[in-house]
Amino acid sequence: KDTYRVQVENKTDVEKVMKLCQQKELLVQEFIPEILTCGEFSLIFFNGVFSHGVRKFNVTGDFRIQGQYGGKVEQLELKKDEDSIIKHFAETVLQQTPFQNLLYARVDVTMTGTLNGTATPVLMELELFEPDLFTENNLPAVERFAEAICRNK
């Protein structure tokens, strides 16, 4: 709800945002164009240890990746070089957060631009409170989560 892609040079877009600012608090996030081509990667950690990941993407051309807008989810196999870059980046984000000993965390990342010819990970969100853990149809992830709960007592 109330998710928009705004062009700063479009006066109507800016007016819409300004009006919304008067009605409620807003979260403004830079649009990363690669979200349209590579999607967003969600890496899930239990007790600080990587459990599993998914790639979220949209097949309708919409910039939003939620299911109600045409978004799809696929399990992420971390085997390629780019995937290991994403995993290392997510682990670094978790290590640098002031919150430690987290039962669960989800690090949402996309790849953007290039650094010496290599795509660079960008943090989209760090979900620490009630994130979707993408455990549907993933029994090993459910088992790892149950084990993490038992160890965290």
Side-chain angles (χ1 to χ4, degrees):
K1 181 179 176 189
D2 293 333
T3 302
Y4 306 101
R5 184 173 172 189
V6 175
Q7 301 289 329
V8 175
E9 58 277 353
N10 183 316
K11 185 177 177 181
T12 305
D13 284 354
V14 173
E15 288 172 357
K16 182 190 293 184
V17 170
M18 295 305 290
K19 186 176 181 179
L20 279 171
C21 285
Q22 294 171 2
Q23 299 168 358
K24 59 177 101 179
E25 293 182 356
L26 298 182
L27 171 68
V28 178
Q29 185 176 25
E30 179 182 356
F31 180 72
I32 306 295
E34 288 84 353
I35 202 84
L36 297 172
T37 53
C38 72
E40 182 176 89
F41 304 92
S42 291
L43 285 78
I44 292 85
F45 293 81
F46 299 136
N47 286 333
V49 177
F50 175 74
S51 170
H52 61 286
V54 298
R55 176 178 166 256
K56 302 176 288 187
F57 57 98
N58 194 303
V59 295
T60 68
D62 196 302
F63 69 94
R64 296 166 290 194
I65 54 175
Q66 294 85 2
Q68 66 264 36
Y69 302 110
K72 302 287 182 191
V73 175
E74 66 184 11
Q75 293 298 313
L76 184 62
E77 300 292 328
L78 293 175
K79 295 179 181 171
K80 299 177 281 192
D81 287 343
E82 183 177 275
D83 294 340
S84 64
I85 291 168
I86 292 169
K87 182 180 173 199
H88 177 72
F89 178 81
E91 290 169 337
T92 301
V93 166
L94 279 180
Q95 290 167 2
Q96 293 182 7
T97 183
F99 307 102
Q100 296 299 309
N101 303 316
L102 297 167
L103 174 60
Y104 55 79
R106 191 182 86 209
V107 183
D108 292 344
V109 177
T110 195
M111 299 298 282
T112 187
T114 60
L115 180 64
N116 300 327
T118 305
T120 304
V122 174
L123 179 66
M124 299 299 286
E125 293 180 87
L126 175 58
E127 296 276 0
L128 303 178
F129 303 99
E130 300 180 9
D132 185 339
L133 299 175
F134 296 101
T135 54
E136 307 84 26
N137 303 315
N138 189 339
L139 184 57
V142 172
E143 291 170 345
R144 285 188 293 273
F145 188 36
E147 289 171 12
I149 292 169
C150 291
R151 278 189 301 239
N152 209 1
K153 286 184 180 180

